[in-house]
């Protein structure tokens, strides 16, 4: 009789046993609690795939492997556990590169299993042959290449451990002939790090700075979410009376209803957060690498405080002081560090204690002013946007309604969002403007494309999130350009009963890049215009629900109806919102230079 132990409601083989390499890999997946994987079946791993079901593992077939990689990302970001993606050697694996790069910059513990050409055929240019390790070298924390079938469990377990210890993707590369044979193996149980608060010296130095701070500000980053440290961040903020700003695209790192919450920094972020950040004399960067894109000037404000003392706390020592000059670097877990700092501050008299009431009033005043400005900011006011608005006022949509201002749409969607919602956003102009309007009460609720900024991210990511948390409402945002890269995964939702709601902003253009053509190229539009079929009609043809919105008063009811169908009837709905061609601010005004033409034939192209 095989010795077994209970783990994640299943049985895992323990002790040295005779087994096949396929069994060794699958049993190691079971030991790591894997219940769902994403990908497309392939002959390269079929021997292992044959025993997924009796092991309690569901392989969810996707339409495209990139979508499968994004689903694994969303699954990991919601669950806090591994997301797993697998595919056929060669093209199935190369299709995943973009998704793994996105997961890398989201710090998602995704394990990509990459079956490879068999060892006897390597280097011969055989069918679907590729050198798969270099493809992912830049975007993985660890690459485990199975060098002998007897080491299958060892490398599999290490990939899962390293994904969690380093919070990023790992690759398990397996020559396809190494799934077969007979080996002696012991299944490794998961090894998880117990992270500490950082060094005593650095913590004491941070407390010394905070004791004299008159206007401390906390940046709550993705590390706060990953460490489940929201309550600890709140306790630290309340002790200091410090405004809390979200780091860029981590709007779920502090509850929006809290009096000290002020909104996100970075592109299309909160003016309240930026104005308060500009007043800081000490900044606690809690669980954030202070990425360069998230601290750039915005809304005409260069808000980063030039003379403030920066206390940066990150679990990865390589991030400390990398982007911004810091005064104290603490290599530690965000939760443990926040607890340690709060304990050290308890009972102390701080310089900021005397200004507690005044700072609270300032925080409220800046937040109220920003909310009023957002409510009044019904449309963009630059010359191009005003021209587009005037032009489109003269025409009806193909459905008989009017083209809607994106900001008004985003405000109505914000007001209609259900409690406990999860939202993913794609890259693009309207999606970026959405950063001003997305607020959350709990962590693991917001998933953006992060620094890799790839189109086609949002929809498959929210599908993976829904698999991990089927009890939570799931909504994705995408523009019509990005939507074209991912809409086929609607079939995955329908085929496998994974109900989500996708909002598509239909403005018939690649808005983010077109904005550059407005600002730098005298409105000479090349390859920026999109003429589309009805996305709602395409959704219906795929077996999902489709709703067209071209009246402002229908935005909120459409979202509520779609969420009700998602949660009560298990239906996926695509909400197609007809928007004007107005455009918000560009990603970066310093990203391009005014064109110079030296050849006579191009002299007018300036």
């Amino acid at each position: 009789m095989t010795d077994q132990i209970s783990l994640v409601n299943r049985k895992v083989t323990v002790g040295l046993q005779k087994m096949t390499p396929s069994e060794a890999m699958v049993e190691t997946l079971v030991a790591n609690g894997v219940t769902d994987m994403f990908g497309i079946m392939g002959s390269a791993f079929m021997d292992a795939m044959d025993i997924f079901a009796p092991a309690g593992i569901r392989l969810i077939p996707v339409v495209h492997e990139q979508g499968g990689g994004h689903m694994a990302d969303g699954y990991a970001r919601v669950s806090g556990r591994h997301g797993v993606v697998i595919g056929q050697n060669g093209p199935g694996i190369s299709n995943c590169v973009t998704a793994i790069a996105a997961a890398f910059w989201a710090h998602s513990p995704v394990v990509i299993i990459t079956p490879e050409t068999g060892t006897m055929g390597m280097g011969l240019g055989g069918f679907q042959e590729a050198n798969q390790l270099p493809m992912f070298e830049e975007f993985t924390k660890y690459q485990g290449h199975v060098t002998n079938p007897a080491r299958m469990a060892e490398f599999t377990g290490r990939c899962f451990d390293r994904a969690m210890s380093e919070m990023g993707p790992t690759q398990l590369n397996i020559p396809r002939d190494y799934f077969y044979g007979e080996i002696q193996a012991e299944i490794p149980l998961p090894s998880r790090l117990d992270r500490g608060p950082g060094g005593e010296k650095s913590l004491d130095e941070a407390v010394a700075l905070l004791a004299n701070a008159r206007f401390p500000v906390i940046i709550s980053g993705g590390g706060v979410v990953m460490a489940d440290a929201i309550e600890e961040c709140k306790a630290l903020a309340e002790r200091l009376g410090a405004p809390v700003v979200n780091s860029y695209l981590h709007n779920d790192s502090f509850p929006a209803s809290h009096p000290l919450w002020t909104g996100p920094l970075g592109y299309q972020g909160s003016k309240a957060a930026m104005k308060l950040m500009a007043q800081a004399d000490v900044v606690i960067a809690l669980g954030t690498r202070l990425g360069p894109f998230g601290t750039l000037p915005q809304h005409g404000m260069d808000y980063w405080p030039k003379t403030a003392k920066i206390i940066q706390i990150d679990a990865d020592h390589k991030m400390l002081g990398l982007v911004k000059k810091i005064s104290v670097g603490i290599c530690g877990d965000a939760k443990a560090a926040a607890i340690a700092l709060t304990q050290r501050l308890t009972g102390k008299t701080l310089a900021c204690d005397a200004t507690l009431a005044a700072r609270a009033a300032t925080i409220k005043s800046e937040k109220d002013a920003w909310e009023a400005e957002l409510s009044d900011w019904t449309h963009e006011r630059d010359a191009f946007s005003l021209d587009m608005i005037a032009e489109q006022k003269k025409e009806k949509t193909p459905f008989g309604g009017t083209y809607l201002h994106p900001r008004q749409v985003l405000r109505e969607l914000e007001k209609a969002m259900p409690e406990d919602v999860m939202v993913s956003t794609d890259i693009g102009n309207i999606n970026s403007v959405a950063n001003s309007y997305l607020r959350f009460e709990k962590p693991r609720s917001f998933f953006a494309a992060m620094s890799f900024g790839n189109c086609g991210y949002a929809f498959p990511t929210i599908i993976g999130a829904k698999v991990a948390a089927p009890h939570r409402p799931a909504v994705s945002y995408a523009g019509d350009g990005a939507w074209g890269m991912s809409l086929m995964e609607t079939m995955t939702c329908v085929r496998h009963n994974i109900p989500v709601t996708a909002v598509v902003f239909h403005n018939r253009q690649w808005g983010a890049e077109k904005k550059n053509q407005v600002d730098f190229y005298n409105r000479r539009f090349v390859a920026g215009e999109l003429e589309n079929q009805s996305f709602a009609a395409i959704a219906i043809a795929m077996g999902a629900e489709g709703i067209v919105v071209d009246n402002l008063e229908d935005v909120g009811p459409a979202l509520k109806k779609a969420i009700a169908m998602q949660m009560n009837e298990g239906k996926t709905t695509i909400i197609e919102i007809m928007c004007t061609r107005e455009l918000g601010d560009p990603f970066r005004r310093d990203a391009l230079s005014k064109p110079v033409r030296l050849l006579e034939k191009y002299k007018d192209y300036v």
Side-chain angles (χ1 to χ4, degrees):
M1 179 72 69
T2 301
D3 291 328
Q4 295 181 323
I5 61 171
S6 176
L7 187 72
V8 198
N9 298 321
R10 292 181 290 168
K11 302 293 183 180
V12 181
T13 300
V14 298
L16 191 65
Q17 301 282 337
K18 182 187 295 184
M19 63 186 76
T20 69
S22 286
E23 291 171 326
M25 186 194 83
V26 172
E27 283 293 287
T28 309
L29 299 183
V30 173
N32 280 276
V34 176
T35 55
D36 297 282
M37 298 169 60
F38 304 90
I40 295 178
M41 65 180 295
S43 61
F45 62 99
M46 199 162 281
D47 190 68
M49 186 176 69
D50 185 54
I51 56 174
F52 282 176
I57 298 171
R58 174 175 61 155
L59 175 61
I60 299 174
V62 299
V63 177
H64 190 282
E65 289 92 350
Q66 179 177 331
H70 289 317
M71 291 177 204
D73 187 349
Y75 185 97
R77 292 179 74 176
V78 171
S79 68
R81 301 188 294 112
H82 301 92
V84 185
V85 60
I86 193 169
Q88 175 69 0
N89 62 262
I93 299 308
S94 65
N95 279 348
C96 292
V97 172
T98 294
I100 297 304
F104 178 83
W105 287 109
H107 306 286
S108 297
V110 171
V111 177
I112 178 169
I113 301 174
T114 60
E116 192 175 52
T117 302
T119 55
M120 294 303 293
M122 289 180 180
L124 301 180
F127 184 62
Q128 296 181 327
E129 181 182 354
N131 189 352
Q132 296 174 173
L133 290 168
M135 293 182 192
F136 298 95
E137 183 177 7
E138 186 178 349
F139 302 120
T140 49
K141 298 289 188 176
Y142 171 74
Q143 293 178 295
H145 175 69
V146 178
T147 56
N148 186 288
R151 300 183 71 184
M152 178 73 84
E154 172 198 341
F155 278 109
T156 303
R158 188 172 298 132
C159 283
F160 277 83
D161 289 344
R162 292 286 288 272
M164 292 300 293
S165 66
E166 300 197 33
M167 289 309 294
T170 59
Q171 178 185 7
L172 176 62
N173 197 64
I174 310 166
R176 57 184 294 160
D177 52 320
Y178 282 4
F179 285 95
Y180 301 94
E182 182 180 299
I183 63 173
Q184 290 282 329
E186 182 172 2
I187 305 305
L189 296 180
S191 174
R192 297 291 177 263
L193 293 180
D194 184 12
R195 299 185 189 275
E200 294 290 319
K201 180 175 177 290
S202 56
L203 288 166
D204 289 341
E205 290 173 350
V207 169
L209 287 180
L210 290 169
N212 294 311
R214 296 192 174 277
F215 205 107
V217 175
I218 296 174
I219 304 175
S220 184
V224 172
V225 174
M226 294 173 208
D228 295 319
I230 300 294
E231 291 303 315
E232 290 73 17
C233 182
K234 280 168 59 177
L236 180 59
E238 288 165 2
R239 173 62 192 93
L240 296 168
V244 180
V245 305
N246 304 113
S247 68
Y248 181 56
L249 297 179
H250 289 293
N251 299 26
D252 58 347
S253 64
F254 202 76
S257 61
H258 196 283
L260 294 174
W261 169 85
T262 62
L265 295 181
Y267 182 45
Q268 295 290 353
S270 160
K271 281 189 181 180
M274 295 172 197
K275 288 180 178 179
L276 291 162
M277 175 60 71
Q279 299 179 54
D281 58 352
V282 176
V283 175
I284 305 173
L286 183 60
T288 171
R289 66 187 182 92
L290 295 175
F293 198 69
T295 55
L296 285 172
Q298 184 66 193
H299 301 306
M301 292 185 287
D302 187 2
Y303 55 84
W304 188 259
K306 302 297 188 293
T307 61
K309 304 293 185 183
I310 311 298
I311 301 165
Q312 187 180 8
I313 302 164
D314 201 287
D316 184 354
H317 70 94
K318 297 186 296 296
M319 296 298 105
L320 298 176
L322 180 65
V323 179
K324 294 292 185 183
K325 182 180 178 181
I326 62 175
S327 300
V328 177
I330 300 173
C331 181
D333 174 76
K335 175 185 279 191
I339 291 171
L341 289 175
T342 304
Q343 288 175 342
R344 281 166 163 78
L345 293 169
T346 300
K348 281 184 175 289
T349 299
L350 309 178
C352 63
D353 291 341
T355 60
L356 190 64
R359 285 182 295 121
T362 300
I363 293 168
K364 184 178 186 306
S365 174
E366 292 292 1
K367 287 168 61 174
D368 289 347
W370 175 232
E371 288 304 310
E373 182 175 350
L374 274 182
S375 295
D376 184 57
W377 199 349
T378 57
H379 61 273
E380 306 299 341
R381 294 158 184 156
D382 61 286
F384 172 79
S385 293
L386 292 175
D387 287 347
M388 292 300 100
I389 292 166
E391 179 181 303
Q392 291 189 283
K393 276 184 177 177
K394 302 172 186 175
E395 57 179 318
K396 295 287 187 183
T397 73
F399 308 99
T402 57
Y403 290 98
L404 309 179
H405 300 304
R407 284 190 175 275
Q408 287 185 309
V409 168
L410 292 167
R411 195 62 150 173
E412 292 302 309
L413 289 170
E414 175 205 334
K415 291 188 288 188
M417 282 292 172
E419 193 174 343
D420 202 24
V421 71
M422 302 182 291
V423 179
S424 63
T425 56
D426 225 292
I427 197 75
N429 196 268
I430 297 177
N431 290 279
S432 297
V433 175
N435 194 33
S436 296
Y437 300 89
L438 289 168
R439 298 98 188 277
F440 302 93
E441 290 303 312
K442 63 185 292 185
R444 304 190 185 279
S445 298
F446 182 42
F447 320 109
M450 310 308 293
S451 298
F452 203 58
N454 64 289
C455 290
Y457 174 87
F459 187 48
T461 297
I462 208 65
I463 295 171
K466 185 69 174 182
V467 172
H471 60 286
R472 298 184 64 184
V475 180
S476 71
Y477 284 6
D480 48 6
W483 180 245
M485 294 190 182
S486 55
L487 66 85
M488 62 278 196
E489 298 297 349
T490 304
M491 291 190 288
T492 300
C493 296
V494 173
R495 287 168 174 167
H496 306 293
N497 192 30
I498 309 170
V500 300
T501 300
V503 177
V504 182
F505 304 106
H506 189 163
N507 64 354
R508 300 174 291 163
Q509 62 190 358
W510 286 104
E513 298 304 335
K514 191 173 172 182
K515 180 65 174 177
N516 290 326
Q517 293 174 326
V518 171
D519 289 348
F520 291 90
Y521 297 98
N522 200 27
R523 302 191 189 184
R524 292 190 297 274
F525 300 125
V526 179
E529 309 295 340
L530 297 172
E531 293 300 331
N532 308 301
Q533 303 300 312
S534 169
F535 296 119
I538 293 171
I540 292 169
M542 288 181 171
E545 301 294 323
I547 301 174
V548 174
V549 176
D550 55 1
N551 290 291
L552 186 62
E553 60 270 20
D554 295 335
V555 173
L559 181 63
K560 290 178 179 179
K561 178 181 178 182
I563 294 294
M565 288 192 290
Q566 177 189 148
M567 302 305 294
N568 301 329
E569 303 173 42
K571 291 187 178 295
T572 290
T573 303
I574 313 306
I575 303 175
E576 179 180 9
I577 302 183
M578 307 305 293
C579 294
T580 65
R581 282 179 156 158
E582 63 191 279
L583 293 169
D585 278 351
F587 277 100
R588 290 175 58 184
R589 295 191 184 279
D590 63 335
L592 293 169
S593 300
K594 292 292 184 182
V596 174
R597 309 298 178 210
L598 301 180
L599 295 177
E600 181 67 20
K601 65 189 291 188
Y602 301 126
K603 67 178 183 179
D604 294 330
Y605 286 78
V606 293

